[in-house]
Amino acid sequence: MAGPERETRGIVDAPDLFTHVRFRLRDPAPALRHHLEHYWLIDWDLPRPYTSHVVPHPSLHLVFQRTESGSVAERAGSAEVYGVVEGLFSQRLEGRGRVCGVKFRPGAFRPFAPDRPVSEWTGRRVPADEALAAPVAGPSASATARAVLDPADEDDRVAALDTYLLPLVPPPDAQAELATELAELVRTDRSLLRVDALARAGDMSVRSLQRLFSAYVGVGPKWVILRHRIHEALQRAGADPEPDWAALAADLGYSDQAHLVRDFTATVGVPPAAFARR
């Protein structure tokens, strides 16, 4: 069964990460693809601890995880919803473990949890049963964690994710679809470098756009625009040890190189030139 291409945008030092873990992306069932970008599967068996770093996307994740060297609860497996992380996301891995994650499209999570704005989950990790509007007769997320994490065959893990999520598919939500469309436009149209330009593309006021993103994406449109700039800078820095930072700053819509350096350093933790040398 073919899966999506490996997505490395946002991973800090992806080649190093892939020497420590097995990382795969898989497609969800067709009925879920309107809401989900992909499943991501990670397994590790490490002789010493390793810390991964990711500059997150404006997406929420449903994460099933088991760590054999952790507490009793961590060994049993957990199911949590991770809200959008506004800073650098760092995760310490040790011993042996497994993660099966679900990446929602920006704007697409709200219909699965319609009672609360997505901004309420930003920066938080909450039990999946607390966040998701699961059917009364459906299995709990904790029970699903075992079904997802136990199989040695990853096709079985993907099938278990599909089985859990398909009954949760919500009815159409026009606002969610608009938020997803505009967030995707930011990602694909590199000329959209200002919030007012994105508002015009959505035929709405800046204030309406901000309210839409707060309710359905979890972060503001300015944050989403800036985050895609940093992803692009991170990718360029990883590919070229001596990039033209002034030209890159201009390409990304910065008024000068200093503003790019400031945003990159605040997000990644080191200046772009130091990152490129590393």
Side-chain angles (χ1 to χ4, degrees):
M1 179 179 177
E5 294 182 1
R6 176 176 286 179
E7 170 65 67
T8 62
R9 187 176 291 265
I11 299 176
V12 178
D13 201 353
D16 184 55
L17 173 66
F18 298 147
T19 66
H20 289 84
V21 306
R22 291 187 62 232
F23 176 88
R24 292 89 70 210
L25 299 181
R26 296 291 299 269
D27 284 321
L32 293 165
R33 293 174 192 173
H34 184 69
H35 307 281
L36 310 180
E37 289 197 13
H38 52 248
Y39 298 145
W40 48 277
L41 310 178
I42 299 178
D43 296 271
W44 67 91
D45 188 356
L46 299 170
R48 60 185 62 86
Y50 174 80
T51 300
S52 64
H53 304 283
V54 177
V55 178
H57 296 246
S59 296
L60 282 80
H61 296 256
L62 170 62
V63 180
F64 297 93
Q65 180 168 279
R66 172 182 293 155
T67 304
E68 294 186 8
S69 60
S71 65
V72 173
E74 289 170 333
R75 292 196 299 272
S78 62
E80 296 180 300
V81 168
Y82 287 40
V84 178
V85 176
E86 295 182 281
L88 186 70
F89 178 79
S90 299
Q91 181 69 47
R92 177 183 169 92
L93 307 175
E94 56 184 319
R96 180 181 298 171
R98 171 172 291 168
V99 174
C100 297
V102 178
K103 184 179 181 182
F104 286 81
R105 296 188 184 279
F109 180 81
R110 175 69 183 274
F112 288 81
D115 294 338
R116 303 183 191 182
V118 175
S119 57
E120 187 163 322
W121 312 117
T122 299
R124 298 176 60 201
R125 292 168 54 171
V126 299
D129 285 335
E130 177 185 332
L132 292 168
V136 174
S140 68
S142 57
T144 300
R146 294 189 293 274
V148 169
L149 295 166
D150 283 352
D153 188 285
E154 71 178 59
D155 287 347
D156 293 336
R157 287 178 243 162
V158 169
L161 289 170
D162 286 342
T163 297
Y164 175 66
L165 288 163
L166 282 168
L168 304 184
V169 172
D173 182 325
Q175 289 295 96
E177 292 177 5
L178 177 60
T180 298
E181 178 185 339
L182 292 175
E184 178 67 9
L185 193 60
V186 174
R187 188 183 72 83
T188 57
D189 186 346
R190 298 308 171 85
S191 69
L192 283 173
L193 300 174
R194 295 176 56 87
V195 174
D196 55 356
L198 183 61
R200 287 193 297 271
D203 194 23
M204 63 178 64
S205 68
V206 168
R207 183 65 187 130
S208 295
L209 177 66
Q210 291 168 335
R211 287 195 296 265
L212 176 71
F213 271 53
S214 177
Y216 283 86
V217 181
V219 287
K222 181 178 180 179
W223 186 95
V224 175
I225 291 170
L226 290 174
R227 180 48 50 92
H228 283 299
R229 288 178 177 178
I230 296 301
H231 282 161
E232 181 69 20
L234 190 66
Q235 188 175 50
R236 299 268 194 101
D240 184 354
E242 296 183 0
D244 185 337
W245 294 110
L248 178 57
D251 288 347
L252 297 178
Y254 283 95
S255 57
D256 55 43
Q257 181 178 337
H259 283 81
L260 168 60
V261 171
R262 181 194 62 198
D263 283 353
F264 189 101
T265 305
T267 304
V268 181
V270 295
F275 175 82
R277 288 195 300 270
R278 186 177 67 181

